[in-house]
Amino acid sequence: MSDATASENAYRILIVDDNQDIHSDFRTILLRRSEDKDVDNLMTEFFGDATASSSLPGAEYVIDSAFQGQEGVEKIQHALAEGNPYALAFVDMRMPPGWDGLETITHVWEADPDVQVVICTAYSDHSWQEITDRLGGARDNLLILKKPFDSVEVAQLATSLTKKWSLQKQASLKLEELETMVAERTRQLNDAKEGAENANQCKSDFLATMSHEIRTPLNGVIGMTGLLLDTDLHPEQREYAEIVLRSGNSLLGLLNDILDYSKIEAGRLDLETIDFSPRATLDGVVDLLSERASAKGLEFACLVSHEIPLSLRGDPGRLRQVLLNLAGNAIKFTEEGEIVIHVNKESETDRQVTLRFSVSDTGVGIPKDRMHLLFQRFSQVDSSTTRKFGGTGLGLSICKRLAEAMGGEVGVESEEGEGSTFWFTAVLEKFDEPHPSAETPSFDGIQGKRVLVVDECATSRLVLENMLRFWRCRCEAATEVVHGIDMLRRAKEENDPFDVAILDYEIAGVPGEKLGQAVKCDPELANTALVMLTSKAQRGDAARMQEIGFAAYLSKPVRHSQLYDCLATIISSGAGETRAPAALVTKHSLAEHERKTARLLVAEDNVVNQMVAVSSLEKMGYRADVVANGREAIEALGKFSYDMVLMDCQMPEMDGYEATAEIRRRESVSGAPRTPILAMTASAMQEDIDRCAEVGMDDYVCKPISAKSLAQTIERHLSHKAPRGEAPPPIREAESHSS
């Protein structure tokens, strides 16, 4: 039974009651006939208000009847299936012999949980708590209506509950629309993200390809020019060759800056976390920049606090990259004076240590009104077309991003005309357990020896004194030649002579060799070993120093390990007596002693690069064989025992990655010793570097290959034990990509 005279927008109401009269009462109250509405309109127009019709509902309804609970649920289900659900159900509490009202409501809500329900009852045999308990808890779409009904109350309930149901449906539709919009927007964002990632990958692939294609010929240009400069050239020819080399290095620096910045912008800047020696890393920086500083007559020193651990975990390649950039800038902008790198511990926890690196110079300084341009990309303090110093303006910006990636920050202090100090911090990991290199080192060869430093430069004295005290030497210093001689004689009189005297090339205007001559001419002092340090090395100096009686001749800035090896060589570790070595100790003789008779294999398909690699290795004192691809490299290793393989990554027939993986597999099967494999790659992208490590390569150098960088990397991996005076080398330390 239903009413079908209402409009399509009418709310559907279901009456579930076993009493026919109840159905008639609901219809009388809720259904409004058209003539009733006409009468209401006339009364409102005549009397001026709507009081007479205020008791009538303001909405139209379609009313259906069901006389048992099961029948009511069937109508609910059918209405849902038609897509025209009921808004409200009035349900009698008692309807024998079928379901009672509560059981009926339970099934109604199982079919349509949104329908509003009013329980109709003439009895109080159920409390509200009992009703809600049986229905599974209180709900906001359940009310009770007591019989006999008040027509106004019924009309108000119908109006408010159907309106509530309508609003909920509208909210549900809006929510569905929003969810659809969100889903569509999410899809669009995912598409955009995928597109951006694809574009980024295309850019990375392009950069990797272009890097390889540019670096390969550039390696030939820089490498062959370097070899050309090692030959006898006419002054004019030498000048031209030096210009070519400088131009090639400038192009390489530009390429590296662009690659690094593109990786930073793309969020692809990855840091390594490997074991490394901070002092060895700083030695590498000093080594790479010492010639540039020496060429300008600058004092260049590195001062490392005793608080710095021997070994830490982090990315030494990125540390070196920032230091090379800052120290390189300092050399570029300084015409006279000194450049000093300071390393101090800023803070420490149980698991980490924060180091502060600073680079101070006595250069031109920076105007205060230009300070804000520092660390911004493509910015120069002097951006005019007539500026004296070149550069892309990317270096400091890259330094800032690298420092932040290492958990630190950057800053600068400067006075125009007085010099500058650029600094950055880096958070590095400590070892969870005592590391072999972190244990208290033994310096038996030189520990306890008495050493005199004679140098007028306060910074140089401080650096040398720090090194010597770190090695537990008894160290004293003098600033003048006369003072130095007095200290040597007084020590002899006290029967506690100095074992070694380290002299600067020039001391307060007096050549250091004069002091050396005075020492060697004095029978009481002649047994003192002499070491000459110079930042102004000239051809013929070494031979002259050896004639005077100097035991060693080293260039400033002297490396931590280099000075230790020098002192250990000239001091007898047995009796503790000073001896003059058969040959003058120089940085070249120290390196040559380490190389001995190492035999290397070069796997490279490019003929020019083969010539560059072999010539460079032979000049370093190594013997080298050459093969043209990975397959030939595997065959060569099967015939001969090599100390190291220099493996190009991209070669025909079998590339370096596949060859390395096969070599490591064969070593694993046969139990043969692991041969160090050094990747030579023209691809500077992080994924290529990671791939080198994954297949079993021990380290890598980027093309164009720097002879110094190559020599340092080879020496690091050919040493089966830590160099004396410093921590063991890392298993794999990334090369710097820019300076």
Side-chain angles (χ1 to χ4, degrees):
M1 179 179 180
S2 67
D3 180 83
T5 61
S7 69
E8 294 180 357
N9 296 325
Y11 297 116
R12 297 191 70 182
I13 297 177
L14 178 63
I15 311 299
V16 185
D17 198 305
D18 60 337
N19 188 334
Q20 177 66 50
D21 293 337
I22 296 297
H23 291 271
S24 300
D25 292 341
F26 273 111
R27 291 177 181 277
T28 300
I29 297 170
L30 298 177
L31 291 180
R32 299 179 61 188
R33 301 299 179 183
S34 59
E35 60 269 21
D36 295 332
K37 288 188 283 184
D38 292 340
V39 172
D40 290 342
N41 292 337
L42 288 173
M43 292 179 66
T44 300
E45 184 179 347
F46 185 78
F47 292 106
D49 62 44
T51 306
S53 61
S54 62
S55 63
L56 295 174
E60 294 185 2
Y61 306 111
V62 173
I63 297 179
D64 291 333
S65 295
F67 295 94
Q68 287 293 314
Q70 292 91 330
E71 182 187 1
V73 171
E74 290 174 0
K75 287 183 177 292
I76 292 284
Q77 293 171 339
H78 184 69
L80 280 172
E82 290 181 335
N84 188 18
Y86 288 100
L88 174 62
F90 287 93
V91 181
D92 187 28
M93 178 65 81
R94 295 185 176 184
M95 294 179 289
W99 296 339
D100 66 8
L102 297 182
E103 189 172 1
T104 299
I105 293 170
T106 299
H107 290 289
V108 165
W109 278 338
E110 288 175 356
D112 184 358
D114 295 330
V115 67
Q116 304 289 316
V117 175
V118 176
I119 300 175
C120 305
T121 179
Y123 303 96
S124 300
D125 48 359
H126 292 292
S127 67
W128 177 251
Q129 184 64 48
E130 291 172 338
I131 292 173
T132 56
D133 287 346
R134 281 193 60 185
L135 294 176
R139 295 175 57 136
D140 63 357
N141 57 344
L142 177 67
L143 291 173
I144 292 181
L145 178 64
K146 292 288 188 180
K147 296 179 181 179
F149 306 140
D150 179 85
S151 59
V152 173
E153 184 179 6
V154 171
Q156 289 176 342
L157 279 173
T159 300
S160 60
L161 292 179
T162 54
K163 186 64 175 177
K164 176 185 175 185
W165 176 88
S166 176
L167 291 173
Q168 287 180 340
K169 286 296 182 183
Q170 292 176 33
S172 178
L173 289 173
K174 287 292 183 184
L175 181 61
E176 290 177 3
E177 290 177 6
L178 286 173
E179 289 176 346
T180 302
M181 290 172 62
V182 168
E184 177 62 20
R185 184 58 177 160
T186 301
R187 185 191 63 76
Q188 294 174 356
L189 290 173
N190 286 334
D191 290 345
K193 176 176 177 289
E194 184 177 349
E197 288 175 347
N198 290 336
N200 191 43
Q201 184 61 46
C202 289
K203 183 176 75 171
S204 296
D205 293 343
F206 172 77
L207 287 171
T209 301
M210 292 308 299
S211 170
H212 181 272
E213 295 303 319
I214 293 173
R215 286 174 186 274
T216 298
L218 194 57
N219 183 56
V221 172
I222 293 177
M224 294 305 290
T225 304
L227 295 174
L228 179 63
L229 286 169
D230 288 336
T231 64
D232 292 330
L233 296 176
H234 185 274
E236 187 176 8
Q237 294 173 325
R238 181 168 295 278
E239 181 183 0
Y240 293 161
E242 288 174 346
I243 291 173
V244 172
L245 186 60
R246 286 197 299 271
S247 299
N249 284 324
S250 295
L251 179 58
L252 176 61
L254 176 62
L255 175 65
N256 286 331
D257 281 349
I258 292 173
L259 283 173
D260 270 334
Y261 198 79
S262 68
K263 286 186 283 187
I264 290 172
E265 288 295 287
R268 299 171 68 91
L269 180 67
D270 299 317
L271 297 181
E272 291 187 310
T273 302
I274 61 175
D275 303 354
F276 75 102
S277 161
R279 289 172 176 81
T281 300
L282 289 160
D283 276 350
V285 172
V286 169
D287 240 15
L288 288 170
L289 297 177
S290 58
E291 285 188 11
R292 288 175 55 189
S294 178
K296 298 183 74 171
L298 301 173
E299 286 281 350
F300 185 28
C302 181
L303 184 58
V304 183
S305 169
H306 289 171
E307 295 182 317
I308 305 302
L310 289 175
S311 294
L312 292 168
R313 289 177 57 79
D315 193 329
R318 292 302 185 182
L319 276 176
R320 183 166 55 241
Q321 182 176 349
V322 178
L323 285 168
L324 284 171
N325 194 295
L326 297 183
N329 283 345
I331 293 172
K332 180 166 66 172
F333 292 105
T334 303
E335 296 303 324
E336 60 180 17
E338 64 182 23
I339 313 294
V340 184
I341 300 175
H342 292 270
V343 187
N344 295 289
K345 183 174 70 175
E346 187 167 90
S347 63
E348 184 175 9
T349 66
D350 291 340
R351 301 182 64 85
Q352 295 178 324
V353 59
T354 300
L355 301 187
R356 180 185 175 95
F357 301 82
S358 63
V359 179
S360 301
D361 64 61
T362 54
V364 296
I366 303 167
K368 291 190 180 298
D369 63 345
R370 308 293 291 177
M371 294 275 280
H372 67 285
L373 297 176
L374 297 173
F375 306 110
Q376 295 183 18
R377 59 182 180 178
F378 305 113
S379 294
Q380 299 267 355
V381 171
D382 178 10
S383 58
S384 68
T385 57
T386 59
R387 59 191 172 92
K388 178 180 179 181
F389 306 102
T392 62
L394 282 174
L396 289 179
S397 175
I398 292 172
C399 288
K400 180 175 185 294
R401 300 291 287 271
L402 288 175
E404 290 171 348
M406 291 185 286
E409 55 185 351
V410 296
V412 60
E413 301 157 7
S414 182
E415 288 290 336
E416 188 173 7
E418 298 294 328
S420 306
T421 296
F422 283 82
W423 59 267
F424 73 97
T425 57
V427 180
L428 303 169
E429 295 180 13
K430 297 162 65 176
F431 294 101
D432 294 333
E433 298 178 359
H435 192 265
S437 64
E439 298 172 0
T440 302
S442 174
F443 305 120
D444 293 338
I446 65 173
Q447 183 172 336
K449 301 301 179 181
R450 194 173 187 189
V451 182
L452 176 66
V453 176
V454 186
D455 195 323
E456 68 172 320
C457 177
T459 301
S460 293
R461 290 198 310 274
L462 185 59
V463 170
L464 292 171
E465 288 179 89
N466 268 270
M467 287 184 184
L468 293 165
R469 291 195 177 103
F470 180 74
W471 299 323
R472 296 175 178 80
C473 294
R474 295 180 295 149
C475 175
E476 298 177 43
T479 59
E480 297 177 353
V481 170
V482 175
H483 187 203
I485 292 177
D486 288 344
M487 292 180 69
L488 287 168
R489 287 173 176 163
R490 187 164 58 251
K492 181 64 176 179
E493 292 170 358
E494 294 171 353
N495 202 29
D496 187 16
F498 286 97
D499 298 288
V500 180
I502 301 175
L503 314 180
D504 189 32
Y505 189 80
E506 188 171 321
I507 308 164
V510 179
E513 62 187 276
K514 295 291 185 184
L515 175 55
Q517 289 172 337
V519 170
K520 289 303 176 181
C521 289
D522 188 333
E524 296 294 318
L525 304 178
N527 201 40
T528 305
L530 300 179
V531 177
M532 172 64 76
L533 299 184
T534 178
S535 56
K536 303 175 182 179
Q538 302 291 328
R539 188 178 296 275
D541 280 352
R544 193 172 68 255
M545 298 304 161
Q546 188 172 19
E547 288 178 5
I548 293 172
F550 278 85
Y553 177 82
L554 300 175
S555 297
K556 284 184 175 181
V558 63
R559 289 171 53 188
H560 190 270
S561 57
Q562 193 179 70
L563 182 59
Y564 181 91
D565 288 341
C566 171
L567 295 177
T569 301
I570 65 175
I571 294 176
S572 171
S573 60
E577 295 178 357
T578 307
R579 60 176 175 86
L584 186 71
V585 175
T586 66
K587 64 178 182 180
H588 302 295
S589 68
L590 291 171
E592 185 63 28
H593 177 70
E594 291 178 356
R595 294 189 189 106
K596 295 184 179 178
T597 58
R599 186 174 185 179
L600 279 59
L601 177 65
V602 177
E604 168 67 68
D605 64 309
N606 185 285
V607 176
V608 175
N609 289 343
Q610 287 178 356
M611 294 172 60
V612 171
V614 173
S615 298
S616 298
L617 292 172
E618 288 177 349
K619 286 182 179 294
M620 296 175 195
Y622 297 110
R623 294 183 299 157
D625 296 334
V626 179
V627 294
N629 57 59
R631 194 176 306 283
E632 293 180 5
I634 294 173
E635 292 174 357
L637 283 168
K639 297 176 181 178
F640 303 101
S641 176
Y642 289 96
D643 297 283
M644 175 178 282
V645 179
L646 277 65
M647 184 81 74
D648 185 30
C649 291
Q650 297 187 10
M651 295 181 289
E653 293 192 40
M654 180 183 285
D655 63 26
Y657 302 117
E658 188 178 353
T660 300
E662 177 61 18
I663 292 169
R664 295 299 183 228
R665 186 192 69 78
R666 294 189 180 193
E667 289 174 344
S668 176
V669 171
S670 66
R674 179 185 176 97
T675 302
I677 299 178
L678 176 64
M680 299 187 299
T681 175
S683 300
M685 305 303 286
Q686 185 63 41
E687 49 265 37
D688 299 309
I689 296 168
D690 291 341
R691 188 179 176 191
C692 292
E694 288 170 4
V695 298
M697 294 181 179
D698 298 277
D699 213 325
Y700 70 94
V701 289
C702 284
K703 297 178 181 177
I705 295 172
S706 160
K708 277 191 174 182
S709 176
L710 179 61
Q712 290 175 352
T713 307
I714 292 173
E715 289 171 10
R716 186 164 63 243
H717 289 281
L718 288 182
S719 300
H720 296 291
K721 59 182 180 179
R724 291 170 291 177
E726 62 181 54
I731 294 175
R732 190 171 84 90
E733 185 170 316
E735 285 300 323
S736 162
H737 292 169
S738 71
S739 57

